[in-house]
């Protein structure tokens, strides 16, 4: 019930922000006595779309700039599914990667963690600050005498409010969560640090063991605590420790409705993988496999998705050919993995499953 109330609240906030933005735009047009033709309206709508994309770019760039100022280093920069990754060899690689619920992301490696001194506010709020500055600059230079300027200001206001007001797992919520306790600040650091290490080529079993020691849910369980659970799941998978993997997933499954949307999809996908291996007759498998959101997520060209599909086809459907085809396709995605560490972990699982299938199907 609490989850539904929060979801409805987020929707109402979004609608309210959208309504304010629309009213603001209409007010500015009316105040300046702009007599708009059909063409003008079409131009304004088109300008809203284009300037919103610009605001997303500005927002993610703001994270990068303010992150750099506070000691962070660039790891990856993504707009929609277009992603640029800073590799250990100094080159920047292009990837296609989509994260449901986000239109962009600027991930950076954090400075060394010091208790009580971890800088996170400017990095997290850098996007909002950049949007506010850019919109204020356009307001100062052009006022409201240009439809394009009005569109830019309206989309800027919308971007600022939807990211600053704590809801879902946006910037405002991340700041609110991090300031609630030292434990939550450390978990935030851990997410940034693990992503940076994976980008350098460390796989999950090569990360420090202390990263997998669960941090107390103080003052309450948050999506940062849940992230650490998924970190453990990734390690158990790479270790081929199916018993521990099952236990960790079942624990998350019991509270799946409390997870943020992206984690709900991930726990369902990994449940398919785990159950197919250990309990192929589990009644949940059919429901999980035909879940529309799961199937949509599995369409992304990622090694992990092909690994999950191959496991289902082999252990549940007994379709050896399709399973092997999935593994072969998955291996071709190695250069499309979001980072080198993920690629290494997925190759381990791909090779294990490939060997398992061949050993059990010798003529």
């Amino acid at each position: 019930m609490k989850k539904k109330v929060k979801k409805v609240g987020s929707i109402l906030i979004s609608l309210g922000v959208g309504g304010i933005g629309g009213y603001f735009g209409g007010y500015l047009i009316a105040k300046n006595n702009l007599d708009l033709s059909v063409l003008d309206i079409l131009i304004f709508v088109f300008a809203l779309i284009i300037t919103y994309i610009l605001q997303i770019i500005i927002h993610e760039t703001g994270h990068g700039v303010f992150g750099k100022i506070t000691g962070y280093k660039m790891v990856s920069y993504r707009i929609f599914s277009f992603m640029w990754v800073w590799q250990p060899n100094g080159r920047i690689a292009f990837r296609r990667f989509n994260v449901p619920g986000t239109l962009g992301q600027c991930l950076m490696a954090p400075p060394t963690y010091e208790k009580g001194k971890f800088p996170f506010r400017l990095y997290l709020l850098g996007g909002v600050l950049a949007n506010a500055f850019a919109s204020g600059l356009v307001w100062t230079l052009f006022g409201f005498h240009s439809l394009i300027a009005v569109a830019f200001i309206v989309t800027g206001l919308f971007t600022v409010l939807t990211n600053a007001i704590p809801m879902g797992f946006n910037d405002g919520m991340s700041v609110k969560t991090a300031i609630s306790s030292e434990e939550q600040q450390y978990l935030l650091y851990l997410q940034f640090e693990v992503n940076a290490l994976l980008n350098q080529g460390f796989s999950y079993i090569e990360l420090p063991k202390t990263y997998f020691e669960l941090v107390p849910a103080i003052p309450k369980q948050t999506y940062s605590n849940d992230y650490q659970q998924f970190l453990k799941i990734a390690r158990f998978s790479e270790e081929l420790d199916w018993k521990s993997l099952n236990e960790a997933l079942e624990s998350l499954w019991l509270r799946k409705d409390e997870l943020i949307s992206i984690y709900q999809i991930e726990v369902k996908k990994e449940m398919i993988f785990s159950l197919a291996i250990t309990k192929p007759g589990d009644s949940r498998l059919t429901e999980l496999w035909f879940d529309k959101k799961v199937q949509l997520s599995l369409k992304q060209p990622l090694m992990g998705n092909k690994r999950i599909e191959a496991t289902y086809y082999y252990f549940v459907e007994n379709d050896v050919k399709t399973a092997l085809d999935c593994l072969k396709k998955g291996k071709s995605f190695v250069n499309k993995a979001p980072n080198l560490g993920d690629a290494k972990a997925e190759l381990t699982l791909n090779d294990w499953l490939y060997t398992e299938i061949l050993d059990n199907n010798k003529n």
Side-chain angles (χ1 to χ4, degrees):
M1 181 65 182
K2 187 177 180 180
K3 179 77 173 179
K4 290 182 179 179
V5 170
K6 286 184 177 180
K7 187 174 183 180
V8 171
S10 295
I11 292 173
L12 290 176
I13 290 174
S14 297
L15 289 174
V17 170
I20 291 172
Y23 175 81
F24 183 63
Y27 171 77
L28 293 177
I29 291 171
K31 185 179 180 180
N32 289 277
N33 297 314
L34 297 177
D35 186 15
L36 302 181
S37 65
V38 174
L39 180 60
D40 290 329
I41 294 174
L42 290 175
I43 291 173
F44 182 66
V45 171
F46 182 72
L48 285 173
I49 297 171
I50 297 300
T51 56
Y52 184 50
I53 294 173
L54 286 174
Q55 291 287 4
I56 294 172
I57 295 172
I58 291 169
H59 182 88
E60 299 308 331
T61 302
H63 283 304
V65 171
F66 284 96
K68 185 70 174 177
I69 291 173
T70 49
Y72 289 74
K73 295 180 180 179
M74 187 65 74
V75 172
S76 65
Y77 180 88
R78 179 177 60 82
I79 299 297
F80 301 121
S81 64
F82 303 100
M83 183 178 183
W84 292 264
V85 180
W86 275 249
Q87 297 184 310
N89 60 12
R91 295 181 179 178
I92 300 176
F94 176 72
R95 298 279 188 272
R96 292 297 299 274
F97 182 62
N98 180 51
V99 179
T102 66
L103 297 175
Q105 214 169 22
C106 176
L107 295 175
M108 306 184 79
T112 302
Y113 179 80
E114 292 184 56
K115 190 174 182 179
K117 297 181 180 180
F118 178 53
F120 63 89
R121 291 175 178 82
L122 270 181
Y123 172 42
L124 290 177
L125 294 176
V128 168
L129 293 173
N131 292 129
F133 175 79
S135 299
L137 182 63
V138 169
W139 187 341
T140 301
L141 294 176
F142 302 100
F144 303 120
H145 304 294
S146 164
L147 285 176
I148 296 176
V150 171
F152 188 88
I153 295 168
V154 168
T155 54
L157 175 65
F158 177 80
T159 306
V160 167
L161 293 178
T162 53
N163 283 279
I165 298 174
M167 55 183 174
F169 54 101
N170 68 356
D171 298 331
M173 181 60 76
S174 293
V175 172
K176 180 181 178 181
T177 300
I179 63 177
S180 66
S181 72
E182 188 66 40
E183 287 77 9
Q184 294 300 324
Q185 288 180 37
Y186 174 73
L187 285 170
L188 181 67
Y189 158 81
L190 188 64
Q191 294 175 63
F192 298 151
E193 178 66 6
V194 167
N195 180 70
L197 290 175
L198 290 174
N199 186 66
Q200 291 175 28
F202 291 84
S203 69
Y204 296 98
I205 60 176
E206 296 171 324
L207 296 176
K209 289 186 178 180
T210 54
Y211 290 1
F212 301 90
E213 297 172 3
L214 293 182
V215 175
I218 299 174
K220 62 180 181 179
Q221 185 81 15
T222 68
Y223 53 77
S224 293
N225 292 102
D226 296 333
Y227 167 82
Q228 201 177 23
Q229 295 278 10
F230 278 100
L231 198 59
K232 289 170 67 70
I233 286 169
R235 186 185 181 102
F236 291 145
S237 291
E238 192 179 356
E239 291 174 332
L240 309 182
D241 184 350
W242 310 133
K243 183 177 183 296
S244 297
L245 175 64
N246 242 345
E247 291 174 352
L249 281 167
E250 290 289 0
S251 177
L252 272 179
W253 180 260
L254 291 175
R255 40 182 299 273
K256 63 181 182 301
D257 293 335
E258 300 172 18
L259 304 177
I260 58 177
S261 57
I262 186 174
Y263 284 172
Q264 288 182 16
I265 295 172
E266 288 306 308
V267 76
K268 288 178 180 179
K269 287 165 58 178
E270 294 303 330
M271 279 294 283
I272 291 174
F273 175 69
S274 179
L275 290 176
I277 295 172
T278 60
K279 302 175 184 178
D282 194 296
S283 60
R284 290 172 291 180
L285 273 166
T286 300
E287 180 183 349
L288 288 167
W289 180 253
F290 289 103
D291 184 294
K292 291 182 179 179
K293 291 182 179 179
V294 168
Q295 284 298 321
L296 183 62
S297 180
L298 287 174
K299 288 181 180 179
Q300 286 198 71
L302 297 171
M303 291 182 70
N305 286 340
K306 289 302 174 186
R307 177 250 305 171
I308 291 168
E309 289 180 349
T311 309
Y312 180 85
Y313 282 120
Y314 177 63
F315 289 102
V316 181
E317 298 290 339
N318 298 313
D319 187 341
V320 174
K321 183 181 183 304
T322 303
L324 290 174
D325 287 343
C326 286
L327 291 175
K328 183 179 179 181
K329 187 68 174 178
K331 211 158 190 176
S332 72
F333 292 153
V334 65
N335 293 324
K336 296 182 180 180
N339 55 61
L340 297 175
D342 267 320
K344 285 174 66 174
E346 289 297 343
L347 277 173
T348 297
L349 292 170
N350 187 294
D351 291 344
W352 169 81
L353 186 52
Y354 188 81
T355 302
E356 183 79 7
I357 294 174
L358 291 186
D359 287 348
N360 290 327
N361 290 275
K362 291 179 179 178
N363 293 327

